[in-house]
Amino acid sequence: NYYYWNLKSLRDYMRDKGIVHVNEMDQEEFNKFLEHLMNNYTNPTTINTYLRATRAFLYYAMREGYVCKYDIHLVNEPEKPIDVYTEKELEKLFKAPANLKKAAFTEYRNWILVQYLSETGNRRNSVINLKVNDVDFEQRYVKVRVTKNNKVLYSPISQTMTRILYNYIITWGLYDNDYLFPDTERKQMTENAISKTIARYNKSRGVNKTSIHLFRHTMATNFIKDK
C-alpha cells in the first residue's frame, strides 16, 4: 500500500511525459521529476514522502542494472521547534504547597516529582524504578538502574534537590528499599499511573501541558542555554 500510493506521483509524471521504460529515469529526468514535485507541493514533508518511495524503487532498479547509478537526496525540511515547559509554567509547578507539613502524600510527592523530572531529565520508566537507596546524598547523585540502553546512569542533583529529597524521605518514613516515588500504598507506580498523575498535577497548577517527556526536553534545552 505504501509503495502503491507514494509511487503514484512518479507513475503520473512518467505517463504525462510519455516515459515508458524505467531506464529513461536518468539523473536529468529525475531532476525534472523533483522540480515537478516542488512545483506541485509546498510541504517538504509531503515531497520527501514521495521521494523516499521513489528513491527505494529507483535504487532497486539501479542494483538490478535497469538504470544508471546516481544519488537521490531528500529536500531540506525546516526544523520543528521542540516544545518545552516555559519558566512561568515551571514556576507554577515548582511552587510549594501552601502548608507543606500538612500536605497529603500525593501532593508532596508530585511536587518533588516534577522538580526531579525537570532537573534530571530521567525517562518515565527509569523514574518509577528508582529506590530510596539509589540516592547518594553525600555525592549528590541518583543511580538510575533501569535505562533505555540497559546501562547504569548516574544523574547529578543540585544541593536544593538533595535537600528536598532528604526532607521528603524523612517526612514520609521511606526506607532504603522503598520506591522513591511510590503510589499511596508504597507500591511501584506503573508508567500509565505516573503519566496520569503528572497530567492531573499540572492541570491543578494551571499548566495545560501534561507530557512527562517534555520535562526531558526542558532539561536538555536549559542545559544548552546554560552552556
Side-chain angles (χ1 to χ4, degrees), residues 4-18:
Y4 177 82
W5 290 110
N6 291 309
L7 283 174
K8 185 176 185 298
S9 58
L10 178 64
R11 294 198 306 271
D12 291 347
Y13 173 82
M14 292 175 67
R15 182 194 62 223
D16 293 342
K17 297 295 181 179

Side-chain angles (χ1 to χ4, degrees), residues 180-204:
L180 185 59
F181 299 108
D183 62 16
T184 54
E185 297 179 355
R186 301 204 177 192
K187 296 179 180 178
Q188 183 182 28
M189 297 180 72
T190 63
E191 291 191 33
N192 186 50
I194 195 172
S195 293
K196 289 183 177 180
T197 292
I198 291 298
R200 285 193 296 267
Y201 176 83
N202 288 12
K203 289 180 179 178
S204 73

Side-chain angles (χ1 to χ4, degrees), residues 125-153:
N125 192 43
S126 298
V127 172
I128 64 175
N129 281 284
L130 292 176
K131 296 287 188 74
V132 171
N133 58 14
D134 289 324
V135 184
D136 189 315
F137 292 101
E138 291 186 4
Q139 300 297 321
R140 296 215 306 264
Y141 68 77
V142 176
K143 188 176 184 179
V144 184
R145 302 173 188 274
V146 178
T147 61
K148 189 175 182 179
N149 61 7
N150 296 320
K151 293 183 179 180
V152 175
L153 171 71

